Amino acid sequence: VYREFERISERGGVLGAMDSMYQRGKIQEESLYYEAKKHDGSLPIVGVNTFLSESQAGEASVAEDALIRSTDEEKEHQVESTRRFRERRQKAGEQALADLRETAAAGGNVFASLMETVKTCSLGQISHALYEVGGQYRRNM
């Protein structure tokens, strides 16, 4: 650690080292070193390069998981469940959303307000309430 501090100091301190992209280079070197050790097995990681099934043992990389889609029945069940949740908590939810909007509009810390709001409102309701206050990001095309 002391040697690393000396190297940074030789480059003019933290700002000088940043100008020469010293830290970024060191991070990239360490990342490459880590990946190489992981790939050659000298850094064992369970399930990645150690204790793989026989069918995976010969593969160079771990295969991605297959995408699983929910059935129409599962989707309808979730939509109905969300609708019932919103109906049961409508009055408390309206107050929680109003408090959230007020906190966000005042530039306050919305974390505590969010923690209360999630007890009575869906993610969509919360998102729309925050969009009303702060707008919605739209990427330029």
Side-chain angles (χ1 to χ4, degrees):
V1 172
Y2 184 71
R3 275 184 252 132
E4 192 60 38
F5 281 137
E6 285 178 340
R7 288 186 201 114
I8 290 172
S9 185
E10 290 168 0
R11 287 165 175 77
V14 173
L15 294 178
M18 285 175 64
D19 286 341
S20 66
M21 298 179 72
Y22 175 74
Q23 293 96 326
R24 179 176 292 209
K26 290 300 281 184
I27 291 169
Q28 289 173 344
E29 286 174 22
E30 287 297 316
S31 178
L32 183 62
Y33 174 74
Y34 170 79
E35 288 298 318
K37 290 185 78 57
K38 186 171 71 171
H39 185 70
D40 71 14
S42 59
L43 176 65
I45 300 174
V46 175
V48 174
N49 62 3
T50 305
F51 302 114
L52 297 174
S53 67
E54 290 180 18
S55 64
Q56 291 176 318
E59 297 177 12
S61 64
V62 177
E64 292 183 27
D65 291 335
L67 181 63
I68 300 173
R69 300 254 184 222
S70 57
T71 64
D72 287 339
E73 183 179 294
E74 290 169 326
K75 290 176 192 174
E76 289 301 319
H77 173 71
Q78 187 60 44
V79 168
E80 182 61 25
S81 177
T82 302
R83 186 189 61 73
R84 287 194 314 266
F85 172 81
R86 289 173 66 170
E87 284 177 358
R88 284 193 311 268
R89 294 169 172 81
Q90 183 175 4
K91 192 170 192 169
E94 289 171 2
Q95 182 59 49
L97 288 171
D99 292 344
L100 178 62
R101 282 188 202 99
E102 185 179 319
T103 302
N109 185 344
V110 297
F111 184 77
S113 186
L114 277 172
M115 294 304 289
E116 287 303 312
T117 308
V118 296
K119 296 175 184 176
T120 57
C121 299
S122 69
L123 176 60
Q125 289 174 299
I126 293 169
S127 297
H128 289 293
L130 291 173
Y131 293 155
E132 289 173 20
V133 175
Q136 186 173 2
Y137 174 75
R138 301 260 186 224
R139 193 173 104 196
N140 291 336
M141 296 302 241

